[in-house]
Amino acid sequence: MIAARSHRRPDFNAAFGGTVVAMLLFAALFGPGLVHYDPLALDLMARLQGPSATHLLGADEFGRDLLSRVVHGARVSVTISVLTVCLAMAIGIVLGTVAGYAGGWIDRLAMLLNDSLLAFPGLLLALGIMAVFGASVGAIIIALGLAYVPAVVRVMRASVMSLREREFVEASRVIGNREITTMLRHVLPNCIAPLTVLATTMFGWVILSETALSFLGLGVPPPAPSWGNMLAAARPHIVQAPYLIIVPGLCVSLTLLGINMLGDALRDWLDPKMQAS
Amino acid sequence: MSNQEQPLPVLDVRNLSVEIGRTGRKVVDDLSFAIPSGEMLAVVGESGSGKTMAARSILRLLPVPLHVAPASRIFFDGDDLASASDKHMRKVRGGKIGMVFQEPMVSLNPSMTIGRQMAEAQRIHLGLGRAEIRDRSLAMLERIRIQNPEKCLAAYPHEFSGGMRQRIMLASVMLTRPRLLIADEPTTALDTLVQRDVLDLMAELTSENGTAVLLISHDLGMVSHYVKNVVVMHSGRAVETGPARNVLVSPQHSYTRRLVDALPKRTEGGARDTSADAEPLLELRDVVVDYPGRGGFFMRAEPKRVVKGVSLTINRGETLALVGGSGSGKTTLGRAIIGLVRPASGSIRYLGRELLNESAAAMRDLRKDVQIIFQDPYSSLDPRQRIGSIVGEPLLLDKEMTPPARRARVEEVFLDVGLDPDFMRRLPHQLSGGQRQRVAIARAIVRNPAFVVADEPVSALDMTVQKQILHLIRKLQAKHGFACLFVSHDLGAVEQVADRVAVMDNGNIVEIGNRDDVFDNPRNAYTKRLLDAAMLLDRKFAGAA
């Protein structure tokens, strides 16, 4: 029974996670072209109206179409999270690999920097950076990206350090490969599994953090919609128009669930041992 | 004990079958055996023969999809364990039946002191008080000749060597005076001398207590010194059962014959005399290797001297075996020659070139001449790389070589080491241990090296596979003429491949000479002890086999 389950789960994860992520990407890429309303167009007559034939998901406190805002918000949220994860990964992988592989004082220096970054709560660090750069999409990406670097460095360094001692890495050195070849060909590819898990988890954290920043008024500046600032703006109207919170909230939750399941499936799929023998 | 009324055997296994899920596939098929009180029985077989699963099913410790088939009966002191309740099983485990596992490194909990681990089973199964537990533990540690037992109780497992840990494990299991001891490859991870030690101790403790022992092993030669009866298992079935001596001397089943054949014997006329060569291939002088120390929490780390000034030469085409127990520095010396660790002082000359002065680039260039085969083929191959690419990788460094030429060379080497070229697209985990080691050998010889270090190349493999790999190394050497430093603790393997033998103990070479001289007339006391531990087989059955 357990054997059967362990065979079925990755497929279900892949199917569900894949569908959610595909829908998300579709909404982010093409959604804005498909919705009727301008997400910024005010219509005071429709103010706080519930779902209806004209406004499928209802309208917010300025009478802006909720469906249109959610779809445009998806584009903003996806852009921010993809770029943030890329930024954190790029810096973190390089730093973590160098620290783990070189060891000695390079490692100690890199870890000192990393630990001092890690000493600040991620959101606080992002807040500080936002305070300096001002609120804009670019600033959010840089702020959150930097805030998530330490996690990547930690994971990367630990993987590299354990791989460094493995015999196949030594074997690569013995056949005469340069260190950089050894690293690129034998060490990095074997770090993919923990990195995929981390990247997908982080994707979720970033969406949440962006939501939190927007909620605090430091996120995507209004009137441009993001899921975070929509949640923040809906808060005073929670009793009269609960759907204003429910819709973007559901979007965030569903996205996180889908991405994490896709991550699990990816990790299994990337494990060479999962291939049929 | 030749009474008419046979006493009830402690363990009586009848028609034991272990199945995988509901597929009906069996990993153990209709196995029956019995062990009387105070006797030892060995179940011998190679990996995948089902011997471990048979032992685990007695304690109901099978991994999940496996289960004992309904018709099986496991009588322990008259109770059928196959149909016992889980609660009853918990009482039996560790109390009446003790178990010793293969890996002493992992079967002791690293974060608990020895004292607490020894106390655990006594508290649960004997219900003793603190003071009594302490007294009994101390007495037992003294009994197994642990120096300073008081200190040992407060120590953590990592402070002991593998052999020590296995003795402690054995002691703590025996403290509850079990009726049956199941030992699953208890000495496989240990070197020859320590193996003897641990098994002697096991025989001693159990015979004192009248404990029956079920010994699981892959080493027919070794167990035959200790047990009365053996069961030889092959792919789930018992192919031969009987007194150890009979099985060893006149094996009936073809598989048993293969197993007995694989027991180390000296290759006749094998030792070649290569000393006449003018220039040695490799010359080591006073090589010293230090490891950074692992000082205590508040102490400064003192470097630990592992190789203490070793000088030796290796001639073209010869095999020099470097023999010693774990911690003797033999592996470190091999790694120093290959350039994986840097000696603190001394000189390593390869064809007259001083390797320790070479630049990194020159060393990389030398790699095509000097190669290594690692011990564990499970970790020496990149799990993500297809094996064709693993073997071909060293060729990428030859910038002149075209891809078709590379492919042709890889195919040639595959055939050389006895691998089907169709395997090229496979991943390492899709191969058996022996096949993996062939891949590792192919990678080492693909650029026609002049010298290969083989670091315990067979100790992770099954006996019959060991024989094949040793044969392969010997054959490849004859064909390609590379010299080999064969690092091993296993004198049996050494006897089959070596031309000359160097014995290493505690960082020094204590004896070096031609194979037959060293094996027949050992001069050094340590060499004698090593030989005594390993050669018992031939002496006990001298003339018979």
Side-chain angles (χ1 to χ4, degrees):
Chain A
M1 206 181 107
I2 291 198
R5 195 180 63 191
S6 70
H7 277 295
R8 200 172 313 134
R9 244 194 54 215
D11 294 346
F12 176 70
N13 279 352
F16 183 84
T19 313
V20 169
V21 171
M23 274 164 50
L24 180 70
L25 289 180
F26 181 81
L29 283 174
F30 306 109
L34 296 177
V35 288
H36 287 296
Y37 294 92
D38 179 344
L40 304 183
L42 307 182
D43 175 6
L44 289 179
M45 297 305 289
R47 200 171 165 269
L48 292 180
Q49 237 175 41
S52 66
T54 38
H55 297 289
L56 285 177
L57 292 177
D60 70 2
E61 74 272 26
F62 299 115
R64 295 176 298 200
D65 182 57
L66 189 58
L67 175 65
S68 166
R69 283 183 70 77
V70 162
V71 167
H72 277 86
R75 175 177 276 188
V76 176
S77 292
V78 168
T79 314
I80 290 178
S81 26
V82 168
L83 290 181
T84 303
V85 171
C86 288
L87 181 70
M89 283 282 159
I91 302 177
I93 287 176
V94 173
L95 221 62
T97 311
V98 171
Y101 207 75
W105 66 268
I106 297 179
D107 182 26
R108 254 170 281 153
L109 186 70
M111 280 300 110
L112 188 72
L113 276 173
N114 198 51
D115 288 344
S116 26
L117 267 182
L118 204 58
F120 295 97
L123 204 59
L124 201 64
L125 185 68
L127 274 177
I129 298 173
M130 301 293 296
V132 176
F133 287 102
S136 72
V137 171
I140 294 176
I141 291 170
I142 293 174
L144 288 179
L146 287 180
Y148 286 119
V149 163
V152 185
V153 172
R154 278 281 168 195
V155 168
M156 202 56 203
R157 174 172 171 269
S159 309
V160 170
M161 279 174 76
S162 77
L163 284 166
R164 195 178 60 180
E165 307 297 328
R166 294 277 292 277
E167 284 183 340
F168 69 82
V169 173
E170 289 199 322
S172 161
R173 227 170 278 154
V174 171
I175 61 180
N177 282 330
R178 291 164 177 278
E179 294 293 329
I180 183 89
T181 316
T182 303
M183 201 148 90
L184 292 179
R185 200 179 288 160
H186 297 287
V187 176
L188 278 184
N190 281 292
C191 296
I192 284 182
L195 281 182
T196 342
V197 176
L198 183 69
T200 47
T201 321
M202 228 161 77
F203 204 87
W205 294 342
V206 174
I207 291 190
L208 278 180
S209 298
E210 182 269 322
T211 312
L213 278 179
S214 298
F215 195 81
L216 294 172
L218 278 165
V220 178
S226 84
W227 291 348
N229 67 18
M230 287 167 73
L231 280 171
R235 195 175 45 105
H237 312 289
I238 190 163
V239 179
Q240 303 139 273
Y243 55 90
L244 284 183
I245 285 212
I246 293 172
V247 173
L250 261 183
C251 286
V252 172
S253 313
L254 201 65
T255 306
L256 293 191
L257 186 65
I259 287 172
N260 279 313
M261 287 174 85
L262 185 68
D264 273 358
L266 267 181
R267 184 201 50 209
D268 291 345
W269 184 65
L270 287 170
D271 182 352
K273 292 202 176 69
M274 292 294 283
Q275 296 193 16
S277 46
Chain B
M1 279 234 200
S2 53
N3 291 356
Q4 289 309 92
E5 68 265 27
Q6 281 276 330
L8 201 63
V10 173
L11 181 71
D12 187 0
V13 173
R14 291 188 202 160
N15 313 100
L16 173 66
S17 294
V18 176
E19 292 175 349
I20 308 178
R22 285 186 183 76
T23 58
R25 270 188 53 215
K26 291 176 176 171
V27 287
V28 175
D29 192 357
D30 203 25
L31 181 71
S32 300
F33 60 84
I35 317 175
S37 166
E39 220 171 80
M40 269 188 168
L41 174 122
V43 173
V44 177
E46 306 204 311
S47 39
S49 64
K51 57 186 193 302
T52 295
M53 290 313 142
R56 288 184 159 247
S57 58
I58 296 169
L59 284 175
R60 205 176 288 171
L61 288 175
L62 291 173
V64 163
L66 300 183
H67 63 90
V68 172
S72 315
R73 290 285 167 268
I74 302 167
F75 292 107
F76 172 69
D77 270 343
D79 290 348
D80 186 5
L81 295 186
S83 57
S85 68
D86 282 346
K87 195 175 160 208
H88 183 68
M89 286 307 294
R90 273 199 299 278
K91 271 169 74 182
V92 168
R93 271 185 223 134
K96 291 178 180 162
I97 303 183
M99 181 139 188
V100 177
F101 296 91
Q102 170 171 357
E103 281 287 350
M105 308 288 169
V106 294
S107 54
L108 286 167
N109 183 339
S111 64
M112 268 166 83
T113 62
I114 299 290
R116 277 186 63 200
Q117 299 192 50
M118 289 182 81
E120 215 173 19
Q122 296 186 69
R123 201 181 55 241
I124 297 170
H125 295 286
L126 304 179
L128 299 177
R130 274 176 159 246
E132 205 173 347
I133 286 178
R134 193 178 155 79
D135 288 346
R136 296 189 65 204
S137 304
L138 282 176
M140 182 51 108
L141 288 175
E142 223 156 282
R143 171 80 194 68
I144 63 167
R145 298 180 291 277
I146 296 268
Q147 289 150 4
N148 202 346
E150 295 268 353
K151 207 173 139 199
C152 173
L153 282 186
Y156 287 89
H158 72 264
E159 298 172 44
F160 297 91
S161 68
M164 278 299 195
R165 256 179 278 191
Q166 202 62 312
R167 299 172 71 113
I168 292 171
M169 188 76 208
L170 201 56
S172 57
V173 170
M174 289 309 291
L175 269 173
T176 56
R177 303 239 164 94
R179 296 274 295 138
L180 174 69
L181 175 68
I182 299 178
D184 186 2
E185 303 257 18
T187 61
T188 305
L190 308 173
D191 66 59
T192 326
L193 275 178
V194 186
Q195 274 189 12
R196 282 291 311 280
D197 231 37
V198 169
L199 285 172
D200 284 345
L201 183 71
M202 183 155 95
E204 212 177 297
L205 289 178
T206 52
S207 70
E208 262 170 28
N209 248 335
T211 303
V213 181
L214 174 60
L215 182 60
I216 310 292
S217 178
H218 69 280
D219 191 343
L220 183 58
M222 184 213 48
V223 299
S224 62
H225 300 302
Y226 294 93
V227 305
K228 200 165 163 196
N229 292 306
V230 293
V231 175
V232 180
M233 280 186 79
H234 181 51
S235 51
R237 292 178 160 275
V239 294
E240 190 156 350
T241 308
R245 196 191 150 81
N246 293 4
V247 171
L248 201 60
V249 175
S250 51
Q252 299 301 311
H253 192 273
S254 63
Y255 175 74
T256 321
R257 268 202 292 277
R258 256 174 55 215
L259 212 55
V260 173
D261 256 6
L263 292 178
K265 282 178 209 80
R266 201 175 298 182
T267 44
E268 281 312 317
R272 292 155 296 188
D273 187 15
T274 43
S275 52
D277 256 26
E279 188 194 24
L281 185 69
L282 197 71
E283 198 172 0
L284 273 67
R285 194 161 297 155
D286 301 320
V287 174
V288 172
V289 184
D290 290 338
Y291 272 150
R294 243 188 286 154
F297 207 75
F298 296 106
M299 287 178 284
R300 232 186 81 86
E302 285 281 309
K304 192 169 172 236
R305 188 144 292 188
V306 191
V307 176
K308 303 171 179 169
V310 164
S311 304
L312 55 82
T313 58
I314 294 167
N315 298 315
R316 280 173 188 280
E318 79 166 343
T319 301
L320 174 68
L322 190 58
V323 182
S326 43
S328 62
K330 58 183 194 309
T331 294
T332 307
L333 183 61
R335 293 164 63 90
I337 294 175
I338 217 82
L340 282 175
V341 283
R342 201 174 162 74
S345 65
S347 124
I348 299 177
R349 297 175 85 82
Y350 174 77
L351 289 175
R353 279 166 76 183
E354 176 55 62
L355 295 189
L356 300 185
N357 298 336
E358 293 289 357
S359 67
M363 273 307 278
R364 270 202 299 277
D365 204 40
L366 253 168
R367 291 299 186 201
K368 72 173 193 293
D369 271 8
V370 181
Q371 276 301 313
I372 185 165
I373 303 166
F374 288 99
Q375 167 173 6
D376 184 358
Y378 290 87
S379 71
S380 67
L381 305 178
D382 186 339
R384 312 189 78 87
Q385 217 178 354
R386 307 213 174 258
I387 64 171
S389 139
I390 292 176
V391 174
E393 198 180 337
L395 298 175
L396 294 175
L397 296 163
D398 184 352
K399 300 285 178 243
E400 317 270 274
M401 207 166 197
T402 61
R406 204 150 53 218
R407 220 192 127 69
R409 174 67 188 142
V410 170
E411 210 158 295
E412 194 183 349
V413 177
F414 260 61
L415 293 172
D416 248 5
V417 299
L419 279 174
D420 186 345
D422 287 346
F423 279 19
M424 273 191 219
R425 297 282 308 153
R426 295 209 182 175
L427 288 164
H429 73 94
Q430 295 166 324
L431 305 182
S432 70
Q435 287 170 334
R436 286 172 181 228
Q437 198 58 300
R438 284 173 197 267
V439 173
I441 293 173
R443 173 175 59 191
I445 65 164
V446 72
R447 294 181 81 186
N448 286 319
F451 176 64
V452 174
V453 173
D455 185 8
E456 304 257 16
V458 297
S459 51
L461 304 173
D462 277 330
M463 289 300 262
T464 50
V465 181
Q466 283 193 13
K467 188 181 174 168
Q468 292 164 11
I469 296 292
L470 291 175
H471 185 74
L472 175 69
I473 292 177
R474 194 97 184 141
K475 194 186 89 186
L476 290 171
Q477 251 191 310
K479 188 167 169 192
H480 301 292
F482 54 85
C484 178
L485 180 74
F486 189 90
V487 180
S488 180
H489 73 267
D490 179 0
L491 285 166
V494 165
E495 199 172 16
Q496 291 177 71
V497 295
D499 300 311
R500 287 192 303 140
V501 175
V503 181
M504 205 164 170
D505 181 28
N506 200 12
N508 290 304
I509 290 202
V510 295
E511 181 157 3
I512 184 164
N514 284 332
R515 180 193 70 185
D516 294 351
D517 293 345
V518 173
F519 274 69
D520 296 335
N521 308 303
R523 278 188 298 272
N524 182 277
Y526 180 74
T527 317
K528 281 180 193 151
R529 270 177 59 216
L530 266 184
L531 282 166
D532 275 347
M535 291 301 128
L536 242 145
L537 174 69
D538 298 19
R539 295 206 185 140
K540 188 171 172 190
F541 300 107

